[in-house]
Amino acid sequence: MKQTRLKPDDRRELIVITVLALAQGMNYKKVRRVDIAEALGISGPAVQYHFGTMPKLQRAVMRAACRRAAVGDENALRVVAQGLADGNSFAVRVSDEIKKKASEAICK
């Protein structure tokens, strides 16, 4: 079966969503390029192509998690909680309500 080539923005979004899902079993900073590539059926260099460095990918993941947490995404709340624990600059700027929900999500 031929795989459809995604537009770069769509591929980036898919990578971020995948990291959010993988981060449920580990801290978002511990998700490796090879884990992402394996989950998506792409190569590690393809992940690197879209984000460059892992810190850039981690920033994109945390920004997405903060946006998604604002609408109650449970997975995103857990990642925001991880970011709060790490002192991530995006996570610490979310509202107190989201911080509270993130703390509750990680305790479930």
Side-chain angles (χ1 to χ4, degrees), residues 47-90:
V47 175
Q48 185 172 356
Y49 171 80
H50 289 285
F51 288 95
T53 65
M54 286 304 287
K56 286 180 181 179
L57 172 57
Q58 292 163 352
R59 284 191 295 274
V61 167
M62 188 53 64
R63 281 192 304 269
C66 291
R67 282 192 310 271
R68 290 169 179 266
V71 294
D73 182 317
E74 196 75 22
N75 290 341
L77 286 168
R78 288 189 188 98
V79 174
V80 170
Q82 294 169 9
L84 289 168
D86 289 343
N88 179 279
S89 62
F90 293 107

Side-chain angles (χ1 to χ4, degrees), residues 6-14 50:
L6 295 175
K7 294 179 182 176
D9 288 343
D10 293 338
R11 176 68 68 190
R12 285 176 58 90
E13 180 67 16
L14 186 58
H50 289 285

Side-chain angles (χ1 to χ4, degrees), residues 7-48:
K7 294 179 182 176
D9 288 343
D10 293 338
R11 176 68 68 190
R12 285 176 58 90
E13 180 67 16
L14 186 58
I15 291 168
V16 168
I17 290 167
T18 300
V19 175
L20 285 170
L22 291 171
Q24 300 316 297
M26 65 182 91
N27 187 291
Y28 75 103
K29 285 188 170 183
K30 293 186 179 180
V31 175
R32 300 173 308 155
R33 192 176 285 119
V34 67
D35 300 325
I36 302 162
E38 186 176 292
L40 290 173
I42 61 176
S43 68
V47 175
Q48 185 172 356

